[in-house]
């Protein structure tokens, strides 16, 4: 399975979501990763974040109000970098009135 970004989001109310993203792939591939540099939308404080925790599949936890293209630079233990992208999906729960 090629490496890719997975995500989970939970609507917190008032047009805000708590979400997380992590790297999915074969266990052998994940074991070769040293760290992941996530690049969030420029409106985030600290929009470049590094995660080194293999036990969580390099999970990033944060929150926000809008969808964007999440970038992850996956840095291997050998020093090579692979760039992954993912369109963040934030959905309102069924029956939730929106302000759109």
């Amino acid at each position: 399975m090629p490496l890719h970004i997975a995500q989970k989001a939970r609507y917190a109310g008032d047009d805000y979501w708590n979400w997380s993203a992590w790297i999915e792939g074969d266990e052998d591939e994940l074991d070769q990763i040293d760290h992941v540099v996530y690049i969030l939308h420029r409106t985030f404080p600290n929009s470049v974040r590094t995660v080194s925790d293999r036990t969580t599949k390099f999970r990033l936890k944060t929150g926000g109000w809008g969808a964007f293209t999440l970038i992850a630079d996956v840095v291997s233990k050998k020093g090579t970098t692979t760039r992954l992208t993912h369109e963040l999906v934030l959905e309102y729960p069924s029956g939730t009135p929106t302000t759109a």
Side-chain angles (χ1 to χ4, degrees), residues 3 27-36 52-55 58 73-82:
L3 293 176
E27 291 298 314
D28 290 340
E29 288 180 293
L30 293 172
D31 287 341
Q32 298 307 310
I33 298 173
D34 182 67
H35 64 276
V36 177
S52 301
D53 188 354
R54 164 65 178 91
T55 63
F58 306 94
D73 285 337
V74 179
V75 181
S76 76
K77 292 177 179 175
K78 293 180 180 179
T80 59
T81 300
T82 302

Side-chain angles (χ1 to χ4, degrees), residues 13-94:
D14 202 24
D15 290 331
Y16 190 89
W17 286 260
N18 293 309
W19 59 269
S20 61
W22 61 93
I23 306 300
E24 283 289 347
D26 294 332
E27 291 298 314
D28 290 340
E29 288 180 293
L30 293 172
D31 287 341
Q32 298 307 310
I33 298 173
D34 182 67
H35 64 276
V36 177
V37 178
Y38 290 98
I39 303 168
L40 288 69
H41 191 272
R42 67 182 179 276
T43 56
F44 276 80
N46 188 21
S47 62
V48 178
R49 303 181 190 182
T50 301
V51 179
S52 301
D53 188 354
R54 164 65 178 91
T55 63
T56 65
K57 296 185 176 183
F58 306 94
R59 183 180 299 261
L60 170 72
K61 293 181 182 181
T62 190
W65 54 266
F68 62 95
T69 303
L70 176 64
I71 298 169
D73 285 337
V74 179
V75 181
S76 76
K77 292 177 179 175
K78 293 180 180 179
T80 59
T81 300
T82 302
R83 177 161 281 191
L84 305 175
T85 61
H86 174 77
E87 294 299 322
L88 191 64
V89 176
L90 304 175
E91 296 176 338
Y92 290 97
S94 177

